[in-house]
Amino acid sequence: MVGGIRLPGDVFLLEIIKGIKKIFAGGKAGGDVLAHPPAAVMFERFKDVLDCNNRALEIIADLGEKLSGDYIFDNQYIYDSMKALEDAVLQSVHALNTLCGNRYQELYGIYDRLTAHLHIVMAGREDRDGPMVIDLADISQAHSVMVGGKNAHLAQIQKDLQLKVPEGFVITTKAYHDLMDHNDLRKDLDAFESAMDDLNVDAEAIESLRERLERGVAAARPSSAFMLELEEKLNAMKALLGPEVMLAIRSSAQEEDMDFSFAGQFHTVLNVPPDSAAVFQAYLAVAASLFGKKAVRYRLRVFPGEGHMSIAAGCYRMIDSKTSGIVYTVDPADPAGDAMLVVSSWGQGQAVVEGRTSVDTFYLKKAAPHTIVEQKIQAKDTGLYLKKGGGLEARDVPEGLTGKPSLTHEQLGRLAAKALQLENYYRRPQDVEWAIDGKGDIYILQSRPLVISDAAAQQVSLAKALKNYELIVADMGSVAQQGIGAGPVYIVDTSQDLEGFPDGGVLVSRRDSSHFIRVMHKASAIVTEVGTPVSHMATLCREFQVPCLVNVEGILSMVENGMEITIDAEDRQIYKGRVPELLAFKTAVNLNVAAAKEFRILKRLLDTVSSLKLVDPLMDNFVPEACETYHDVLRFVHEKAVGELVEMGRDDRRLLKDYRALPLELPIPAGILVIDIGGGIKPDVQDDKVHLAAIASMPFRALLDGMLTPGIWRTGAANIGFGDFITSIVNVPADAVCGQYSGHNIAIISRDYLNLSLRFGYHFNIIDAYCSDIARDNHIYFRFLGGATDITKRSRRARLIAMILEASGFNVGSKGDIVTGRSGNMPKAEIMRTLDILGRVVGFTRQLDVQMYSDEQVDRYAGAFLSGDYNIMDRG
């Protein structure tokens, strides 16, 4: 009603809006709509994009599967797979540009850049690229090889876990290679690496080369360019931390602290003055230790036949430690037990790791509040402390501390919590070096895998041990990422639930979502009722090594928040409670698998091609320039291909000219014209109209079923005020007058596809959906805007729609009265179920803005819809 006058129907009202809109717009005509090829051609080109993307994603998935440890592969397999992947990604870029009229030509340059880098990685020479010096805070996954394992871990610990690490920068492997070239050591280095490549090389046979390189590096001269960069970094540190700051120069070789510890093999220089000459000399001592006798023998033992290895050095603020030591997140003597081991002493930790002082030993329960199971407090007469001017010195422990525990109960609890964060993040028990300064702040100095041996013995007893635990799930679901994890259940219904996700929790949800990346560094495992092993979330789980089971039907009815469970995402079992025997076995097996040379090469390559940074297409950074991996390119290609289909319905005049459009007979006044581009209507239809029973399009039928749900559709006119009416007219988008939202309601359909543009008066919807047997191809796109009231009420209605969509698993973006929702990577049945919900959303919210007179109404109506109370509209 407007001023007591009943409004005409939706279509006539839109004509009124158009006329008044022209008056307010000065009679200007709208812009032209870009012409597309015929809809059937567009759809076939879209399917070409899907085919190309699928080929590439299947190769990536196969490569990832090989890292499970269940397969044997060689370098030829890696080379052939990478070549096939290059070709598939290039074909995806071709297919998108064919679909989009060559609008994404810049993707070719990005593809060339990524491919060139991939070739460098395949050649094992990525350690020669990049900067000579880089701040710790600027290190990303792309820098992991050039900064070495230890530094890469510290950067992750600081960035992802927000744990305290010392401030500093890294002298990279690029600087190491430049040093070798600058000092004419390349010939000796090449000869040494060639000899190390021989599986049968004897340590004595390369002794003279090793000694020559060790001496040559120790006496090397710096380049002026390197010293200039080093001076800049040191000046920045002194400006930030004060001129008296002292440094620790720590080794960080390529594989150090990754799958192998290299514990004590390389040199570290502590308490170095912030002078460029002093730091360079300390760096030379670190770099030369790459060719130390014990380091070379270690490499021959754990990496036989691998000659190439570079070294970086971390330059960190020296922590003036009051207490320091080591945490083992499991007891190596009892890896299946529930205790962790802490060793500590007064002063610097160097005395602890080198066995030069008496230590306190604590055994703690792994479960909070980390009760002390056993402790051994020793008399600690001396400790290592910072020496004025540089270096360390042994001094008497301050009076009164000799016989006291070097850690309080509170400090032990904090240390245990941080160590378990690290264990969960790296998916295996950790050997953590830490320091506590005079203020009581805990600093992580390094974190590396704790080697647990005797996997075979554990395997023999494992089957017997598992019989003592209750099975919740047996042989159910699909493995998205192999592994074993345990922790308390945390149920996620919407993305807001992720805010409170606990460290070590098991994420349980109805559907998988790439938004789970926000908590993957905390999650011990992920379980969903619906999902696919080839979804974006599954790829992220493989990247973050999060054990994951999808399609575990009914899991939400079997668990509750806080319930402790253990997920075996290898044998597809879920146990009630924590199964330490299973967790201990997993640790030993992981380390055995990582020993293979091909395994580590493939892992580096997968880091280069499969990491996913472009997660959310609603973000501003979802642009070609942000693509850092092949997987990013494939994600971008897919989303832009979907977007092209979404826009297909803009030119309704051309659609009606190119195709025969049949009116759809429905018991509601939707006024939809149907265009069939292949199998969307049953073949025996001869009439000039289409009945509901003749619709063969799966996504369209599912949407219509939702729209026709009893109680959803209201045919009466809405009562609105005159002010609301005029406001809505003035603010109708330009597209509504002469663009995408004007004209007819058109459904472009095939058996597995739907593109629907709905214009109900002053409410505008676009729905695009693909529903096939291949889950990763499937998608739903939804857009809504408009209304017949003021912007406040329309925005409330938009919030209501966003809440419902998010609760239904959509990735949602909203601004004012515009709502956009995306969902995908779902099995056919789940797509159909979600479209049914979307049909109900369309009908339920069609004229609901008039009821949005307060914020409370948003929650009230959203709650009613989600509980199935559609009659709330009758109650107002």
Side-chain angles (χ1 to χ4, degrees):
M1 303 281 288
V2 177
I5 302 172
R6 182 168 295 278
L7 293 175
D10 287 340
V11 176
F12 184 43
L13 179 58
L14 186 55
E15 295 303 317
I16 294 176
I17 293 174
K18 287 184 184 180
I20 299 177
K21 183 74 174 179
K22 285 187 177 181
I23 296 173
F24 280 98
K28 295 180 181 178
D32 293 334
V33 176
L34 290 174
H36 286 95
V41 173
M42 291 281 291
F43 184 58
E44 289 304 313
R45 291 178 180 176
F46 170 75
K47 290 197 290 186
D48 287 342
V49 173
L50 294 184
D51 289 342
C52 294
N53 264 28
N54 280 335
R55 283 198 296 273
L57 291 170
E58 284 166 4
I59 294 169
I60 292 175
D62 186 67
L63 290 166
E65 192 175 16
K66 294 299 183 290
L67 292 182
S68 67
D70 294 334
Y71 300 89
I72 297 174
F73 55 91
D74 57 12
N75 283 329
Q76 190 63 45
Y77 162 80
I78 296 173
Y79 175 84
D80 291 343
S81 297
M82 287 299 163
K83 184 65 175 69
L85 180 59
E86 288 178 29
D87 293 341
V89 173
L90 182 58
Q91 290 305 313
S92 289
V93 174
H94 285 328
L96 177 67
N97 276 291
T98 300
L99 174 67
C100 300
N102 291 315
R103 285 206 311 277
Y104 296 103
Q105 290 287 303
E106 65 268 41
L107 282 176
Y108 289 107
I110 292 165
Y111 168 84
D112 289 342
R113 170 174 57 81
L114 295 176
T115 302
H117 179 66
L118 181 62
H119 290 169
I120 291 172
V121 175
M122 290 176 70
R125 293 295 183 262
E126 70 268 41
D127 56 341
R128 301 188 187 189
D129 280 351
M132 290 188 290
V133 184
I134 185 172
D135 286 328
L136 182 70
D138 293 333
I139 293 172
S140 69
Q141 183 174 317
H143 302 113
S144 60
V145 171
M146 72 178 68
V147 300
K150 185 184 297 181
N151 291 322
H153 278 186
L154 286 177
Q156 291 170 334
I157 290 165
Q158 180 186 60
K159 186 177 296 183
D160 294 342
L161 300 181
Q162 279 86 52
L163 298 180
K164 280 184 177 292
V165 302
E167 303 88 339
F169 60 89
V170 173
I171 300 172
T172 69
T173 56
K174 170 70 161 59
Y176 160 78
H177 281 288
D178 287 353
L179 183 79
M180 304 303 277
D181 290 333
H182 186 70
N183 289 271
D184 297 324
L185 296 171
R186 177 63 62 186
K187 184 177 179 181
D188 281 347
L189 178 61
D190 288 345
F192 177 78
E193 291 187 346
S194 179
M196 293 281 284
D197 279 336
D198 185 352
L199 278 169
N200 299 313
V201 68
D202 182 84
E204 297 303 322
I206 57 172
E207 181 61 17
S208 60
L209 263 178
R210 183 201 66 74
E211 285 184 341
R212 194 155 64 240
L213 283 166
E214 186 178 24
R215 288 195 306 268
V217 173
R221 296 167 289 104
S223 68
S224 57
F226 172 76
M227 291 304 287
L228 183 62
E229 287 198 37
L230 181 61
E231 191 73 41
E232 287 179 1
K233 292 298 182 186
L234 291 171
N235 287 338
M237 282 195 74
K238 287 186 281 189
L240 177 67
L241 302 170
E244 303 303 316
V245 64
M246 300 293 279
L247 303 178
I249 315 300
R250 297 179 179 271
S251 69
S252 185
Q254 278 176 302
E255 298 293 340
E256 187 177 0
D257 287 3
M258 300 296 279
D259 292 308
F260 297 90
S261 70
F262 282 86
Q265 302 305 309
F266 302 123
H267 202 52
T268 291
V269 185
L270 300 177
N271 205 29
V272 178
D275 170 76
S276 58
V279 171
F280 180 69
Q281 288 303 313
Y283 166 66
L284 289 182
V286 170
S289 69
L290 180 64
F291 305 102
K293 180 175 284 191
K294 65 177 180 178
V296 170
R297 290 183 181 275
Y298 181 90
R299 288 171 60 186
L300 288 171
R301 187 168 64 253
V302 300
F303 296 135
E306 295 186 55
H308 186 72
M309 181 177 287
S310 304
I311 193 166
C315 304
Y316 299 109
R317 175 168 68 91
M318 187 73 204
I319 303 299
D320 189 1
S321 306
K322 180 180 178 182
T323 309
S324 54
I326 301 293
V327 176
Y328 287 174
T329 58
V330 301
D331 178 2
D334 184 18
D338 62 351
M340 56 197 305
L341 173 64
V342 181
V343 176
S344 63
S345 191
W346 303 114
Q348 292 293 321
Q350 197 80 354
V352 176
V353 298
E354 294 179 358
R356 295 165 57 183
T357 186
S358 300
V359 298
D360 296 332
T361 303
F362 304 88
Y363 291 88
L364 311 177
K365 285 277 190 184
K366 293 191 76 167
H370 311 298
T371 309
I372 297 175
V373 177
E374 181 184 353
Q375 64 179 19
K376 301 173 184 177
I377 309 302
Q378 298 197 48
K380 300 168 288 295
D381 299 318
T382 61
L384 278 180
Y385 293 91
L386 303 187
K387 182 180 179 181
K388 189 174 179 59
L392 303 180
E393 62 180 0
R395 294 205 304 259
D396 290 340
V397 167
E399 188 177 350
L401 296 181
T402 300
K404 290 187 65 175
S406 48
L407 288 169
T408 66
H409 284 203
E410 185 271 340
Q411 289 172 328
L412 283 167
R414 286 196 290 141
L415 263 176
K418 295 177 190 301
L420 289 176
Q421 274 186 273
L422 292 165
E423 179 185 76
N424 186 64
Y425 183 81
Y426 289 113
R427 314 296 169 193
R428 62 180 64 172
Q430 292 291 291
D431 169 356
V432 183
E433 184 178 344
W434 53 270
I436 300 178
D437 66 9
K439 300 178 188 176
D441 289 332
I442 297 174
Y443 286 86
I444 305 300
L445 304 182
Q446 72 178 51
S447 188
R448 61 192 177 199
L450 177 61
V451 178
I452 306 293
S453 60
D454 200 17
Q458 292 180 50
Q459 187 170 13
V460 171
S461 60
L462 184 60
K464 182 177 179 181
L466 292 179
K467 292 180 180 179
N468 297 320
Y469 296 93
E470 179 184 341
L471 266 175
I472 300 173
V473 166
D475 301 320
M476 285 181 62
S478 303
V479 176
Q481 165 59 26
Q482 290 191 324
I484 297 162
V489 168
Y490 188 90
I491 296 173
V492 172
D493 291 322
T494 70
S495 60
Q496 279 83 12
D497 295 332
L498 297 172
E499 299 297 331
F501 192 86
D503 285 308
V506 175
L507 192 159
V508 181
S509 185
R510 170 165 172 74
R511 279 172 43 186
D512 70 10
S513 169
S514 58
H515 284 292
F516 295 167
I517 190 176
R518 289 164 48 189
V519 298
M520 282 186 181
H521 64 282
K522 296 181 176 182
S524 63
I526 295 176
V527 185
T528 69
E529 289 193 335
V530 176
T532 166
V534 293
S535 70
H536 296 306
M537 185 210 72
T539 299
L540 292 167
C541 284
R542 289 192 287 273
E543 180 182 343
F544 282 83
Q545 296 293 294
V546 182
C548 179
L549 286 176
V550 297
N551 293 328
V552 182
E553 187 176 347
I555 185 62
L556 287 169
S557 65
M558 304 176 197
V559 299
E560 57 186 27
N561 277 320
M563 177 180 176
E564 191 90 5
I565 60 175
T566 298
I567 289 80
D568 180 352
E570 296 179 3
D571 292 332
R572 298 184 299 129
Q573 317 271 39
I574 300 179
Y575 296 88
K576 186 174 183 179
R578 190 176 186 89
V579 185
E581 296 91 344
L582 200 55
L583 296 166
F585 172 68
K586 172 204 71 169
T587 300
V589 169
N590 279 351
L591 287 172
N592 287 338
V593 169
K597 174 183 178 181
E598 291 78 10
F599 178 94
R600 285 178 285 109
I601 293 172
L602 181 55
K603 189 173 186 300
R604 285 204 297 271
L605 287 168
L606 270 178
D607 287 343
T608 306
V609 301
S610 69
S611 296
L612 187 61
K613 303 295 184 286
L614 291 189
V615 174
D616 190 349
L618 299 178
M619 299 296 288
D620 292 338
N621 67 347
F622 200 87
V623 293
E625 297 76 25
C627 293
E628 296 182 18
T629 66
Y630 277 168
H631 198 176
D632 285 336
V633 172
L634 296 171
R635 175 80 159 127
F636 182 85
V637 165
H638 182 268
E639 286 300 324
K640 292 307 173 184
V642 170
E644 200 70 13
L645 284 193
V646 170
E647 302 300 320
M648 191 164 57
R650 288 183 59 122
D651 191 351
D652 62 338
R653 287 172 295 181
R654 175 166 180 173
L655 284 169
L656 296 176
K657 179 182 176 182
D658 290 345
Y659 295 95
R660 182 186 181 211
L662 299 177
L664 177 63
E665 285 285 300
L666 292 175
I668 57 174
I672 297 173
L673 297 176
V674 179
I675 293 175
D676 183 12
I677 60 174
I681 299 175
K682 293 179 180 178
D684 55 350
V685 173
Q686 303 294 330
D687 298 338
D688 289 335
K689 59 183 63 175
V690 181
H691 297 279
L692 180 62
I695 297 297
S697 171
M698 293 181 293
F700 191 29
R701 186 56 191 257
L703 185 84
L704 292 173
D705 286 346
M707 292 171 63
L708 296 174
T709 300
I712 281 291
W713 198 273
R714 290 294 184 271
T715 57
N719 293 321
I720 63 172
F722 186 75
D724 281 338
F725 177 56
I726 294 299
T727 299
S728 69
I729 292 172
V730 175
N731 290 290
V732 168
D735 272 353
V737 175
C738 51
Q740 183 171 3
Y741 304 105
S742 63
H744 304 81
N745 294 343
I746 295 180
I748 305 169
I749 63 174
S750 74
R751 176 161 180 78
D752 46 17
Y753 176 67
L754 164 68
N755 179 286
L756 176 64
S757 296
L758 288 176
R759 299 97 172 170
F760 294 130
Y762 29 84
H763 307 81
F764 313 105
N765 295 271
I766 292 179
I767 298 164
D768 193 275
Y770 187 64
C771 179
S772 72
D773 292 326
I774 303 175
R776 67 166 161 251
D777 289 349
N778 296 337
H779 74 261
I780 303 174
Y781 175 94
F782 173 83
R783 189 191 304 165
F784 175 91
L785 79 158
T789 59
D790 62 65
I791 187 61
T792 300
K793 290 179 182 175
R794 298 202 311 271
S795 296
R796 286 179 181 139
R797 194 252 303 271
R799 289 211 321 271
L800 163 67
I801 293 173
M803 289 172 65
I804 295 172
L805 292 179
E806 191 163 287
S808 303
F810 280 82
N811 178 18
V812 180
S814 60
K815 183 177 182 181
D817 64 347
I818 302 173
V819 182
T820 302
R822 285 177 167 86
S823 190
N825 281 290
M826 294 183 291
K828 182 192 295 184
E830 186 67 9
I831 286 280
M832 301 278 281
R833 190 189 75 87
T834 304
L835 283 167
D836 182 282
I837 294 172
L838 203 54
R840 283 180 267 157
V841 171
V842 170
F844 184 80
T845 62
R846 186 171 60 94
Q847 295 178 338
L848 206 56
D849 51 332
V850 298
Q851 300 289 344
M852 297 292 105
Y853 47 79
S854 71
D855 290 337
E856 288 73 21
Q857 288 288 84
V858 176
D859 293 330
R860 179 172 173 245
Y861 274 83
F865 179 91
L866 294 172
S867 64
D869 180 14
Y870 308 132
N871 293 324
I872 188 175
M873 292 185 287
D874 296 330
R875 302 193 296 271

